[in-house]
Amino acid sequence: TNDYSVLESDNDAIKANIKRIIVSIKERLPACHILLLSVYPVNKSLDPMSVGVRSNKTIDRLNERLATLKDVTYVDVATHLKDEEGNLDDTCTVEGLHLNQNGYRIVTKILKKYL
């Protein structure tokens, strides 16, 4: 999500950056099993300044692309963090961008299935 502050809504460039990281890890640690978590949704109603240029539509499109990457296990946590309107549930965040303890509890519960 930090790439959005530099690349705005360029999902192709963000996916390419993530792919480069995966290739680099695999070159150094070929037996490493990588869990690639979806990019978390945001909630602009809490603090639009914190969220910045990020939008859930753009994030959803990026997550669709990330789910197609090879050599990783894609883990969709974003769906479990959303409210009925598709925003980061306000019980999972303080300012609309970063997760709070409850948000991390949800992510941890999902990840336990893979560990």
Side-chain angles (χ1 to χ4, degrees), residues 39-65:
V39 175
Y40 303 155
V42 295
N43 188 328
K44 287 191 178 205
S45 68
L46 298 174
D47 182 359
M49 293 298 287
S50 292
V51 174
V53 299
R54 297 164 186 89
S55 77
N56 287 317
K57 282 186 177 184
T58 304
I59 291 170
D60 289 344
R61 286 193 299 268
L62 175 60
N63 283 334
E64 289 170 7
R65 292 177 179 173

Side-chain angles (χ1 to χ4, degrees), residues 11-68:
N11 282 341
D12 291 332
I14 294 171
K15 180 183 174 186
N17 284 344
I18 293 170
K19 191 172 184 178
R20 253 190 311 277
I21 293 167
I22 293 166
V23 168
S24 179
I25 292 169
K26 287 297 192 174
E27 285 173 353
R28 291 179 177 89
L29 302 164
C32 180
H33 182 86
I34 300 172
L35 298 178
L36 177 63
L37 277 62
S38 58
V39 175
Y40 303 155
V42 295
N43 188 328
K44 287 191 178 205
S45 68
L46 298 174
D47 182 359
M49 293 298 287
S50 292
V51 174
V53 299
R54 297 164 186 89
S55 77
N56 287 317
K57 282 186 177 184
T58 304
I59 291 170
D60 289 344
R61 286 193 299 268
L62 175 60
N63 283 334
E64 289 170 7
R65 292 177 179 173
L66 295 179
T68 67

Side-chain angles (χ1 to χ4, degrees), residues 1-12:
T1 191
N2 289 342
D3 279 359
Y4 282 119
S5 59
V6 177
L7 300 170
E8 297 197 9
S9 60
D10 189 348
N11 282 341
D12 291 332

